Amino acid sequence: MQPRDLSDHVAYEAGRGIEEVARELDRDPSEFVKLASNENPHGPSPAAAVAIREAASSVSSYPKAAHADLTEAVAERWDVADEQVWLANGGDGALDYLHRAMLEPDDAVLVPEPGFAYYGMSARYHHGDVREYELSKADDFAQDADAVLEHYDADRDRIVFLTSPHNPSGSTIPLEEVERLADETSDETLIVVDEAYGEFADRDSALALIEGRDGFDARDDVAILRTFSKAYGLAGVRLGYAVVPEEWADAYARVNTPFAASEIACRAGLAAIDDEEHVERTVETARDARAYMREYIDAHVWDSEGNFVLVEVGDAAAVAEEMQRRGVIVRDCSSFGLPGCIRITCGTEEETERAVETCNAVLADLDVEPDAGDATTEAEVPDT
């Protein structure tokens, strides 16, 4: 007996962890810093950590009350109806729910390339096809409606994914362009704006298009994705959500996995959502780290509004491997179709400075000649 044909499916390549690398290299984990998975360098919200400990004694019960309480809290945060909030086991789970609600067999989703692999993976799980539109490195991964519409097929594309900020480049798309895209696509096409890194960006949420705020008309063809993994530091508990138009919000009850967000995740989310100090500190750290890396890395670093930067290093595999050997784990972006680039997560001040020093030393020692493009002038890294 064999499973169904999975030849079109690809495995998700996650960033490597400290324990994994330390075992492989037979080294002490304390020698390494991980800047590969866009995790929060300050850890979880302290309030969430307390809530997790306190929730431990209640995990024998299903999280019905906690699920309802968190749904209400998120709805209040965005000033939407509770029914518009679709809690899930991470942002990935929310993607699954949208595909369950929207896709018929052989419908297609249109996704950015490069981009988050799970958009296409989830669509295929739900018997949908996957088509791509290009975000060009030569254009600094600029996002606008034209880049999408050039590849859009009104007869096939049921969902169009936008990532703002985009992973791995950090570019964003203006809300006016999202609105134009929604206007110029079919009434039966849903525009999903993935705002997993939204807290780090100096842009308003596309929720304005769902609710008709800030001068936009309300729409029933736009949804957003958010996560507690990044700014709130809860990647390990797996908690995310979608915010959808009110007109079809009740579909959640028909497509969600029962109790998909666990008791611990819901209690952690309830505590974290009010921990504004932790989020502000995290966002400030990311902004400082982005600026530092752009100024002092001896290679082209793209502008980013996420908690990471993309760096042109010429040979990503070689540079990432050598940086890892020297104790700094970064993301080789070959799996994104960018074999000349690495992605470096924004760490603490100390971690970021170590990453810059290590990257520059590796580039010099390997005699790598990256395509610098319009790179900023190299600067001497200050002593710390």
Side-chain angles (χ1 to χ4, degrees), residues 68-126:
D69 290 346
L70 180 56
T71 297
E72 182 179 0
V74 174
E76 183 178 350
R77 159 73 173 80
W78 292 108
D79 193 21
V80 298
D82 290 5
E83 294 75 19
Q84 292 178 256
V85 177
W86 291 13
L87 292 184
N89 178 28
D92 313 340
L95 280 174
D96 288 339
Y97 294 160
L98 290 175
H99 286 149
R100 291 180 195 177
M102 302 299 296
L103 294 183
E104 298 282 0
D106 299 324
D107 281 345
V109 299
L110 187 61
V111 305
E113 175 58 36
F116 183 37
Y118 196 73
Y119 299 148
M121 293 169 65
S122 176
R124 291 187 179 100
Y125 296 157
H126 295 87

Side-chain angles (χ1 to χ4, degrees), residues 311 313-321 330-334 338-342:
V311 186
V313 296
D315 185 341
V319 171
E321 181 179 0
V330 297
R331 184 64 183 263
D332 170 4
C333 286
S334 297
L338 298 170
C341 298
I342 61 172

Side-chain angles (χ1 to χ4, degrees), residues 26-70:
D26 194 24
R27 304 255 293 276
D28 190 310
S30 65
E31 298 178 32
F32 296 90
V33 58
K34 179 187 177 187
L35 299 175
S37 297
N38 301 340
E39 294 156 337
N40 192 317
H42 300 301
S45 154
V50 171
I52 289 170
R53 288 192 293 270
E54 293 178 347
S57 62
S58 62
V59 297
S60 58
S61 300
Y62 291 111
K64 188 171 183 180
H67 194 282
D69 290 346
L70 180 56

Side-chain angles (χ1 to χ4, degrees), residues 210-228:
I210 302 174
E211 293 297 292
R213 302 173 187 169
D214 303 328
F216 295 101
D217 293 331
R219 313 192 63 97
D220 65 358
D221 55 357
V222 175
I224 68 168
L225 294 173
R226 286 267 172 163
T227 183
F228 282 84

Side-chain angles (χ1 to χ4, degrees), residues 307-377:
N307 66 336
F308 53 85
V309 296
L310 185 70
V311 186
E312 177 71 78
V313 296
D315 185 341
V319 171
E321 181 179 0
E322 182 59 22
M323 287 185 68
Q324 176 178 282
R325 194 185 67 78
R326 300 185 190 193
V328 179
I329 306 170
V330 297
R331 184 64 183 263
D332 170 4
C333 286
S334 297
S335 63
F336 286 94
L338 298 170
C341 298
I342 61 172
R343 190 190 66 195
I344 307 177
T345 300
C346 297
T348 63
E349 182 176 354
E350 180 181 356
E351 291 170 342
T352 299
E353 290 171 354
R354 180 178 175 186
V356 169
E357 181 181 2
T358 302
C359 183
N360 287 346
V362 168
L363 290 174
D365 290 349
L366 295 182
D367 195 24
V368 174
E369 296 185 3
D371 178 12
D374 58 349
T376 54
T377 301

